[in-house]
Amino acid sequence: MRSLTNAELAELTRRESRLRLLLIVVLPIGGALMWLALDRIEILVASLMVMAIELALLGLQKIWLRWGRHLLALDYVTMVMDVLAITIGLHFLGGAEFPFDWIYAVMLASISIARGMGTGLIMAQWCTLAYGALLWAEYTGALPHMALFPIFVASPLYNNSQYVIAKLISNAAIFNLAALNAAFFSATLQHKVEERTRELRRAQAQLLHSQKLANLGQLAASLAHGFASPVTGIRGSAELLLEELPPGSSSYRRVEQILHWSDHLARILDRLRNLARPPEEVRKPVDINQVVRNVLELVEKLLRQSRVVVQEQLAPDLPLVVGAAPQLEELVMNLVMNARDAMPDGGTLTITTTREDGFVRLVVRDTGIGMTAEVQRHLFEPFFTTKGKQGTGLGLNICRQIVVDHGGRISVQSADGQGTAFTVDLPLRGEEWRRLVR
Ligand code: ADP
Ligand code: MG
């Protein structure tokens, strides 16, 4: 365990002095009550003695804290003195035989928790020494065997050598075990807290990252929006120019190209705006083939740059499904981008659509790195990514959400090093689908 800083020691000392103050108030009251009840003035004397030690310690702590230096030494001085106070109290109450020696163990446990095992063990030896000295002194008669309660006067155990040795050994064991045990449990707890804190930090960072992505999406949308009117302007001028040119001339053909490409640009901007738009709940009949074409148009260049060859195998007689086109585009986009990421040295991306019994099937297949069974197990969990800082781990989670929203299913087939195929089944508009949506 790391050692405490000065600030932590100061805080610890302040908290302890509040406890000490309480003790100082309680001690004389308790002593006086016992004196009245048992008619033995020594009880009051003993409690006043302990109180005096605690009062002195309190003063020392206050002054030392104001000085503010060598707080570790102050900590040790107070701990050492506290053990002495306990020993004195024990001596007056009944000495070796008084069954309150567990109080050392309680103190050692709290020392161990607050200051770590090293300090706990050092203080355990000091407790053993102090307690052993008390036993020895009473055994040899160097100190009279005090007993505030008559029962302990009757007992001659304090001068029985076997009893004294057994007591010393058993208490030394208790003291050390108390310090060790408390240190062990507080270390375990601390470890758990640190682990949870790390997890929390990670989740926070991910959240921040997805927030950043959302902001980026909005930025892209506003950029697309800003581009829209210049493109309309270019298109309008080109149309006017076209009217003035003789059809069939080379200038006419060039302006036609301008028109063609500005249309293309307008469509891309539209896609971009749709992608960034929050999912709208308007459901219409959607042609999945068109969804695939829209996405591919948007990422065509990107795929070419990554040396990915695209194969479209789109069923010509594909029935329409009912859904939200922007969401379905996002779904296909995520699958396509994942496929690209899986083929860093290029490869083939095959997108197949087929008409099945009651549903439309879309398969996105790549010839990339594939994935292990372990990765497949966590695939759809939010924030699961193997791409480090490059990934968000949100793509497939969103995909699954979209598919489920459409009453469909998504599954994966993959082997490590052998490519991957994602299969999405979207139900046709039928009784079952209606039930799922409503
Ligand atoms: P991200 O792409 O941000 O990592 P995803 O949710 O899209 O998050 O994907 C999660 C993980 O699934 C990826 O990090 C990757 O390990 C794995 N994965 C997804 N698609 C493929 C694929 N086509 N080939 C190989 N691994 C994939
Ligand atoms: Mg992804």
Side-chain angles (χ1 to χ4, degrees), residues 334 338 387 395:
N334 281 338
N338 276 350
K387 298 172 192 168

Side-chain angles (χ1 to χ4, degrees), residues 338 342 366 370-371 379 384-387 391-396 420 422:
N338 276 350
D366 65 63
M371 40 183 133
L379 213 54
F384 173 79
T385 180
T386 55
K387 298 172 192 168
T392 61
L394 286 172
L396 285 176
T420 303
F422 278 94

Side-chain angles (χ1 to χ4, degrees), residues 34 72 125 203 208 212 292 313 397 406 418 422 434:
M34 297 274 271
L72 193 63
Q125 311 326 310
L208 213 69
K212 252 195 295 198
V292 172
Q313 300 174 343
N397 185 257
H406 284 76
Q418 291 172 27
F422 278 94
R434 243 181 245 129

Side-chain angles (χ1 to χ4, degrees), residues 29 95 101 118 192 195 226-227 250 291 303 308 419:
I29 297 175
D101 37 6
K192 277 202 181 130
E195 208 168 289
F227 276 130
S250 69
V291 167
L303 291 177
V308 171

Side-chain angles (χ1 to χ4, degrees), residues 298-308 337 340:
L298 204 60
V299 293
E300 207 181 352
K301 187 150 179 224
L302 208 66
L303 291 177
R304 217 174 319 122
Q305 279 170 350
S306 315
R307 280 174 292 145
V308 171
M337 293 311 278
R340 185 196 73 137

Side-chain angles (χ1 to χ4, degrees), residues 89-98 138 145-149 152:
L90 203 65
H91 168 69
F92 278 100
L93 286 166
E97 282 126 278
F98 194 70
E138 288 183 1
H145 184 238
M146 304 283 285
L148 297 179
F149 300 98
F152 299 112

Side-chain angles (χ1 to χ4, degrees), residues 55-308:
L55 207 57
L57 276 179
L58 189 70
L60 184 71
Q61 278 182 329
K62 286 257 180 267
I63 294 166
W64 205 317
L65 269 184
R66 199 161 305 151
W67 182 44
R69 265 183 280 168
H70 302 298
L71 292 181
L72 193 63
L74 168 66
D75 199 39
Y76 267 94
V77 169
T78 46
M79 284 188 291
V80 166
M81 294 302 286
D82 276 336
V83 171
L84 278 183
I86 289 178
T87 311
I88 291 172
L90 203 65
H91 168 69
F92 278 100
L93 286 166
E97 282 126 278
F98 194 70
F100 255 78
D101 37 6
W102 51 261
I103 199 84
Y104 291 102
V106 173
M107 183 192 172
L108 285 169
S110 49
I111 287 176
S112 231
I113 287 171
R115 300 164 180 84
M117 190 171 73
T119 314
L121 281 178
I122 292 173
M123 290 316 293
Q125 311 326 310
W126 171 236
C127 286
T128 307
L129 204 69
Y131 181 74
L134 176 68
L135 282 180
W136 177 82
E138 288 183 1
Y139 174 69
T140 57
L143 278 179
H145 184 238
M146 304 283 285
L148 297 179
F149 300 98
I151 179 163
F152 299 112
V153 185
S155 162
L157 277 175
Y158 69 93
N159 57 18
N160 178 318
S161 66
Q162 269 180 32
Y163 175 80
V164 166
I165 288 173
K167 202 65 185 142
L168 182 65
I169 292 173
S170 99
N171 272 11
I174 289 175
F175 297 166
N176 282 285
L177 279 178
L180 277 174
N181 235 1
F184 174 75
F185 281 112
S186 77
T188 314
L189 264 179
Q190 201 179 346
H191 182 73
K192 277 202 181 130
V193 169
E194 275 166 11
E195 208 168 289
R196 289 287 138 79
T197 313
R198 260 201 305 278
E199 270 170 29
L200 216 65
R201 286 232 181 83
R202 215 165 18 226
Q204 251 173 354
Q206 303 276 28
L207 217 63
L208 213 69
H209 186 65
S210 49
Q211 181 60 46
K212 252 195 295 198
L213 279 185
N215 290 346
L216 260 174
Q218 277 172 3
L219 191 72
S222 76
L223 265 178
H225 190 76
F227 276 130
S229 31
V231 170
T232 314
I234 293 172
R235 204 185 179 288
S237 303
E239 262 172 353
L240 288 176
L241 193 58
L242 204 63
E243 277 168 22
E244 293 169 10
L245 291 170
S249 66
S250 69
S251 318
Y252 188 91
R253 277 202 306 280
R254 289 216 179 102
V255 177
E256 253 185 348
Q257 285 287 308
I258 295 178
L259 262 179
H260 170 79
W261 287 113
S262 46
D263 276 350
H264 189 80
L265 189 57
R267 271 202 305 280
I268 291 178
L269 292 178
D270 233 31
R271 293 289 106 72
L272 214 55
R273 268 199 308 220
N274 279 347
L275 267 183
R277 199 169 288 157
E280 43 178 279
E281 275 310 302
V282 199
R283 306 223 152 174
K284 291 187 209 138
V286 181
D287 178 6
I288 295 295
N289 285 347
Q290 193 52 47
V291 167
V292 172
R293 284 190 212 107
N294 288 347
V295 171
L296 286 179
E297 190 180 305
L298 204 60
V299 293
E300 207 181 352
K301 187 150 179 224
L302 208 66
L303 291 177
R304 217 174 319 122
Q305 279 170 350
S306 315
R307 280 174 292 145
V308 171

